Amino acid sequence: MKNNLIRATILFGAAFSIFTAFADAPDTNQVPSWIDHPLSLAETINLALQQNGAILRGKSDLQAQYGVVVQTRAIAIPRLSATGNYLYTTEVETAPYPGAPGAINNTWGATLQLTQSIYQGGQITSSLRSAKLTQAQAILDYQTVIADNLLQVRIAYYDVLQAAEQITVEDASVKLLHKQLEDQQRRYDAGSVPRFNVLQAEVAEANERPHLISARNNYRISKNTLVDLLGVRLPPQISQDVPLQLSDKLDADPYQIDLPIAIGKAFENRSELASLRKKQALSDEAVIGANSNYKPSVQLIGQYGARNSELLSDDPGFVVHGASAGAQVSWNIFDGFLTKGKVQQAKAQQQGARVDVDNEMRSIELEVRTDYSNFIEASETLESQKKVLEEAEEALRLATARNGAGTGTQLDVLSAETSLTQSRSTQIQALHDYDTARARLERAIGINIMQTNGK
């Protein structure tokens, strides 16, 4: 339920990111406004859509591909060109007879020409199809960039949650061991236990403190990693321990899908595979384009020009102007096998594009199978930990009671405390692994966080 709500929240942000692909990147060297309140996963992903460096680079690549689309369509659009010339000369002609006009010292001319290709061996319609395919492929590639980086953000978010929970576990363990030390110290002062018990409790507490220190360091690092994925370069006034807080918790929302269905959805949804299919279609159009060089090309031409005429008047201001229209046909009868080589190259690339599609399908199937297996493992591990924590807490209570009654030993208590800490850590790790495995499986299937249907 929560994952579906997150996807619904993110959908608008993802669409906004695609349709604002040409917007300027935000200034990321200022204190972020979100630093003062806890971030939900949905808010975090929306920030990544706006500021993540790889996603911003993907926008630039998308913009560049749109430029390629415009170039590809150019062959079908009329071309308008203008030419002009001016010549000044000091030469003087000898008059052939009395009264003949002298030399003109200034000559000029101007022409405006419109050219429209109407046939190029099928290349015109092929170029229009190629433009649509290129545009679709660019959007699919951008969706791949978004999906990959949102997966990284999700996992980084879960890493921060795990690190924060681990601090709680280690801190509780240190407090338990410190309480045990105080209890043994009181008993030693009362003469009921030997000095060895105190030393044993001190060593146990001292051995646990490095785990707490390590947990705090992991928390700092995981927060910095998440901030980096959000595309934020923190200013110097922000301390090493980034004051980042998250509002969501590690959970275990039920998620079920059969492996055959998962593979089928992956083949249907994965933008990488769809992009390669567009590439394969583009390679088909490239073969058509190469073969078009075997055929003639036809253009319609219309022009309007003006110039001065030295034959009619020696006045440079005397202008001759008018319009003309016509057609031209060109055909390379023999080009030194240039076209043959281009066709061979295009066909080889066409075959390579088909191989790429087959390879990607196998790669996607392997990825789905692997992530599905990892998700099953995480689910089973999480299920196995449901009662362990309760049993570990009960074992510690009994060990403490037995030790207080004199029927148990201090070693039993320390062992029970260690087991409880391990059980808590294992449960947190299991929750983290479950959420991470589910995120990876959804990405492998092609569902990802941007879609509204989590089934």
Side-chain angles (χ1 to χ4, degrees), residues 346-367:
K347 288 183 176 179
Q349 292 173 343
Q350 180 186 47
Q351 182 61 32
R354 293 172 180 170
V355 173
D356 287 342
V357 171
D358 292 338
N359 290 341
E360 185 66 19
M361 291 184 68
R362 289 195 301 272
S363 177
I364 287 175
E365 181 173 352
L366 176 60
E367 183 180 352

Side-chain angles (χ1 to χ4, degrees), residues 363-405:
S363 177
I364 287 175
E365 181 173 352
L366 176 60
E367 183 180 352
V368 172
R369 289 182 178 275
T370 301
D371 290 337
Y372 186 86
S373 180
N374 290 335
F375 178 72
I376 295 300
E377 178 190 9
S379 301
E380 292 176 350
T381 301
L382 184 62
E383 182 68 23
S384 69
Q385 294 299 307
K386 284 187 175 180
K387 294 185 178 180
V388 172
L389 184 58
E390 296 179 1
E391 293 172 349
E393 290 174 345
E394 178 64 13
L396 176 59
R397 187 189 68 79
L398 293 175
T400 302
R402 285 167 55 85
N403 185 44

Side-chain angles (χ1 to χ4, degrees), residues 10-135:
I10 294 305
L11 183 62
F12 174 77
F16 178 80
S17 177
I18 293 177
F19 287 110
T20 58
F22 308 133
D24 294 333
D27 183 4
T28 58
N29 197 25
Q30 298 181 5
V31 178
S33 59
W34 44 262
I35 208 73
D36 295 328
H37 74 278
L39 284 177
S40 67
L41 179 58
E43 291 173 324
T44 303
I45 292 178
N46 273 324
L47 285 171
L49 285 169
Q50 300 171 30
Q51 301 178 170
N52 178 270
I55 292 178
L56 292 178
R57 177 54 191 268
K59 292 179 181 180
S60 299
D61 293 340
L62 179 60
Q63 182 179 6
Q65 286 301 104
Y66 279 167
V68 174
V69 170
V70 174
Q71 296 176 51
T72 306
R73 289 173 177 163
I75 190 174
I77 301 175
R79 297 188 299 277
L80 183 64
S81 62
T83 59
N85 63 79
Y86 170 79
L87 180 63
Y88 174 80
T89 179
T90 59
E91 296 178 355
V92 178
E93 297 179 359
T94 302
Y97 54 88
I104 297 178
N105 293 330
N106 296 279
T107 60
W108 62 270
T111 303
L112 192 65
Q113 178 172 300
L114 182 67
T115 305
Q116 172 65 63
S117 295
I118 60 173
Y119 180 73
Q120 290 197 6
Q123 189 174 5
I124 295 176
T125 54
S126 176
S127 295
L128 293 176
R129 291 193 298 267
S130 295
K132 293 181 180 179
L133 290 170
T134 301
Q135 183 176 11

Side-chain angles (χ1 to χ4, degrees), residues 319-331:
V319 178
V320 177
H321 59 88
S324 62
Q328 69 177 19
V329 179
S330 60
W331 195 349

